[in-house]
Amino acid sequence: MTLAPETTDLKVRLRLADGWFTACDLGALLPGRGVAALLPDGRQVALFRDRSGALYAIDNRDPFTGAAVLSRGLTGTHRGRPFVASPLLKQRFDLASGQCLDDEAVRVATYEVKAA
Amino acid sequence: MTANLGGTPTIVLVGHGMVGQRFLEALAERGLTATHRVVVLCEEPRPAYDRVQLTSYFSGRTPEDLSMTDMGFIEEHGIELHVGDPAQTVDRAAKKVTARSGLVVDYDVLVLATGSYPFVPPVPGKDATGCFVYRTIEDLLAIEEYARKATTGAVVGGGLLGLEAAGALKGLGLTSHIVEFAPRLMPVQVDEGGGAALLRTIEDMGLSVHTGVGTQEILVGEDGAVTGMRLSDGSELATDLVVFSAGVRPRDQLARDCGLAVGERGGISVDEQCRTVTDPDVFAIGECALAADGRVYGLVAPGYEQAETAAATIARDESAFTGADLSTKLKLLGVDVASFGDAHGTAGDCLDVVYSDSRAGLYKKLVIGRDGTLLGGILVGDAEAYGTLRALTGSVPPVAPEALVLPAGAGAPAQLGPSALPDDAVICSCHNVTKGTIRGAVTDHQCTTVPEVKKCTKAGTGCGSCVKVLGQLVTAELEASGVEVDKGLCGCFAQTREELYEIVLALRITSYQELLDRHGREEARGGDGCEVCKPAVGSIIASLAPTIGASGYVLEGEQAALQDTNDHFLANLQKNGSYSVVPRIPGGEIAPDKLIVIGEIARDFGLYTKITGGQRIDMFGARVEQLPLIWARLVDAGFESGHAYGKSLRTVKSCVGQTWCRYGVQDSVRMAIDLELRYRGLRSPHKLKSAVSGCARECAEAQSKDFGVIATSNGWNLYVGGNGGATPRHADLLAQDLSDAELVRLIDRFLMFYIRTADKLERTSTWLERIPGGLDHVRDVVVHDSLGICDELESLMAAHVSHYRDEWAETINDPEKLARFVSFVNAPDTPDPVVGFVPERDQMKPDLPLLDIGRRRTEEDVLEGSAQR
Ligand code: SRM
Ligand SMILES: Cc1cc2nc3c(=O)[nH]c(=O)nc-3n(C[C@H](O)[C@H](O)[C@H](O)COP(=O)(O)OP(=O)(O)OC[C@H]3O[C@@H](n4cnc5c(N)ncnc54)[C@H](O)[C@@H]3O)c2cc1C
Ligand code: SF4
Ligand code: FES
């Protein structure tokens, strides 16, 4: 799936408790670079897109520092799994499961996400 | 040993040189400092220092750096050290030593370690003003002082020390001559062929060599100062300064005066225990001693062994000094010269294997016994094989001897690594460390790096000539014990940063993805890489951008996705998710109007301000969406990005310099500004810092910088590889008395060579320590162009300089890029509510969010960039 972002009007949508929420244009997501979106209840979500076009959404808050910055980390692939590294103290989080790869006891929330 | 009445027995050491200090350490190791009173009479105005490294004073090592005496050690062991107070007489009957100050000490054991004095041939005029010897720090200080007024210098003696002295004179900016009586240079160490190779190389460096002539008279002007010398062939040589380096003689006068036996040609006669043959209570060690084998040793390693022997004898251990190896390896004026074993084939019934290439200044000779045993050899111009060959001496080498001296490519080059050596081969002769001991350090003591092994075994901490072999052994041993030494950048690339740089440059690869898919590890291809290689490759592409045809703008296309958050937002992320803003203030010079602009901006946006350690101003607490607004005003007022966020040039600090300061000798502020503007924006493996001081008082702390510049009355001295931070390192002098243009050209080359060959997140200091050959190699490459790449390095830098654009000016004029500077993609005007502040000392500080989990200590304490090593 390699759609040129500027020729589509696809939106990035998240599943919340009460249905699908539109976060932004797909074109706003550069592969490898995240953005943050504000949810209606005041929570923040970090959205990512990898080079194959797959989308990921996790809680934006870095559990190690409390700052809402996970969307600003660098992404990568570790043993075939996508991850983001916190820009503050560099812990890695699995983008699909939210599991922290450096500390078993820590996990961030994830959201179902699609382009439609 | 006779105890003195009621008190503890006393050991008196006369002479606190290199061997004397080692003797004290040996006493302490054997517990003798606890049971004895130890008194040291030291003639020089400073305690023991490293005489072997004396010449490094001229490349920036201070007398303090050269010191070998840890005052903590002296105090801890209760040693009474009398500095500047030589022994004048010894009364052996009364067992008393009298010092110049009048101090009288009773001894039970007396140890003489008085070293040597330089021999000055008895020629007329030898005591004129401008005549020097080369032995102590004081000698060097005097030569340096006198050389300020001189233009030409001559060294009498073309031996090891003479060449060192001539190199030092050349370094001081003098036209230098060497006058040697023998028909070749270094007559003791090398043979005729070796001397010829050496001569050519040294003449090519601009030194004039006169062999086969003696010095007949020193010519003196009316003011009593040297004007020249008359040589034995009748010719005259004009010179302002003469350094005598015609050999040394043992300092045995004190011994003679008290009736101890000395050799025919000098030296205090001792037995195998280093006890004088005349008096069992007196010992002699080091260069003043005539050993039991009839030799006076002029090297430090045999002296150390004698010190151990004497201490062991005093402690009643079995020990004997029966003779020592005279192998040496030196780097003379940048030329490798080594000789080992029976270099001159005196054993008879032996054969020479010689390889000589006069064009390249190479000469290699091996002396082979009848049965194939390697007996010794001489290497000039290339002493790579020294470590291995020295250790093989006395055995039959596992390959044909000629294969060991042929250069790679000619015939069958034997890659005879140190793994071919037996375990009892001595790798470090300064400290007598065998290969087995080094292997043991890795296997039994878990050392995994060369510095650890050095610390554990002492190997490599003397003359340093064995460090290369040491490194090879450590790697081999680690690999053998199953530790895979993966030198790859990360899980995605098996190459080092340096290799990736070469690939990007050679193949003109402008995309990270392309590099990963074509050159990444099999399992990483097609993936998304990782946070380690992305910024490293991003930095390589940015450094080379103009040359390989990539965009130099770090937010362009794919580049944007490779940058750490700091580079991506062109600001530094702070602990609560806000950013700091650091405009460039070149050289630390700022006009009041610009200061006022900064003040106004900080006030209007409510930012916390602080003067940084880098002579500029940091404004903290900006939210992402404020960054473009702040920068629009800064750019308007003429400010540019300070790259406080980038692995790139930070600041070039300056002192006020000649313009205002009464001591300044050059305009350090102007130079700092010029350098900062030249190298701003240059992406590098790690941050780069610099400083320029207007005189030797060094108010800008240039010697703690990656490249530091200190003004001299003749131009600029360039220092490299300095570092503050957790592991501070003083910079090394790379070159002296440079003109403005020479300085800039040399820095261009140095920086580009560093960018090309350093590891990721490796400051110039660690890089300089790591790369094979160290400072000498870097000097060869960037000063002498030994790799022939200087033109390329310069043109890479020229391309960088001409393509520089301010990142912030570019960004605020690009609406698409500006759209990224929001806290929320779906609510661009809403600030991040997590970023909060509370007041403190008339300003504000972050109001930290409550944490869900405790902070972990281990990983956060690791410095940025220090994790992998
Ligand atoms: C702001 C400043 C402290 C201050 O308030 O004075 C500072 C702040 C930081 N320093 Fe520094 N250093 C600052 C001057 C220094 C100096 C002094 C100097 O440059 O003369 C040093 C020692 C000199 C040196 O680098 O050799 C210094 C040695 C370090 C080190 C240790 C480097 C090392 O090689 O050991 C780090 C950690 C690293 O880079 O790995 C570091 C890292 C940092 C970081 C980037 C840590 C981080 O990741 O957050 C800080 C970010 C600054 C920010 O957010 O703006 N900072 N830091 C100074 C900025 C100077 C400037 O104008 O750019
Ligand atoms: C420039 C240079 C380069 C060298 N390079 C090398 C090298 O690469 N490899 C190598 O092995 N060797 C080298 N050497 C030789 C090495 O420095 C000596 O072998 C070593 O210093 C000998 O140590 P020592 O303690 O016997 O003598 P020294 O280090 O000379 O110490 C003797 C000390 O005794 C003091 N003294 C003398 N008389 C009295 C007295 N009456 N009372 C009190 N104190 C007294 C002297 O002032 C001196 O400080 C080099 C020497 C020089 C000068
Ligand atoms: S380094 Fe020298 S010129 Fe510069 S301020 Fe200090 S004393 Fe003055
Ligand atoms: S041989 Fe001199 S330090 Fe090892």
Side-chain angles (χ1 to χ4, degrees), chain B residues 654-658 660-666 668 692-701 710-711:
Chain B
S654 72
C655 77
V656 63
Q658 186 185 38
W660 293 89
C661 177
R662 61 191 160 143
Y663 294 120
V665 290
Q666 302 286 347
S668 48
V692 183
S693 282
C695 81
R697 285 171 190 73
E698 246 284 69
C699 298
E701 300 171 309
I710 302 178

Side-chain angles (χ1 to χ4, degrees), chain B residues 257-276:
Chain B
D257 292 346
C258 68
L260 291 171
V262 296
E264 220 167 90
R265 302 179 55 207
I268 308 163
S269 303
V270 298
D271 63 14
E272 289 191 354
Q273 277 65 48
C274 298
R275 215 187 276 270
T276 57

Side-chain angles (χ1 to χ4, degrees), chain B residues 13-21 41-44 46 49-55 85-88 113-116 134-136 140 160-161 164 248 251 254 285-288 297-304 327-330 430 463:
Chain B
L13 171 68
V14 177
H16 192 220
M18 298 183 75
V19 173
Q21 171 63 19
L41 296 176
C42 167
E43 176 185 57
E44 292 189 57
R46 52 178 55 95
Y49 54 87
D50 192 346
R51 206 178 302 287
V52 170
Q53 303 288 343
L54 195 62
T55 303
D85 197 7
Q88 256 174 347
T114 48
S116 310
Y134 199 83
R135 175 95 196 159
T136 65
L140 265 55
L160 197 146
L161 295 186
E164 265 196 51
V248 295
R251 286 190 71 174
L254 190 65
I285 53 177
E287 286 194 337
C288 66
Y297 287 91
L299 293 171
V300 72
Y304 282 176
S327 303
T328 30
K329 176 180 165 207
L330 311 146
C430 286
C463 68

Side-chain angles (χ1 to χ4, degrees), chain B residues 18 90 358 383 462 521 534:
Chain B
M18 298 183 75
V90 175
S358 20
R521 294 184 199 258
K534 278 180 170 175

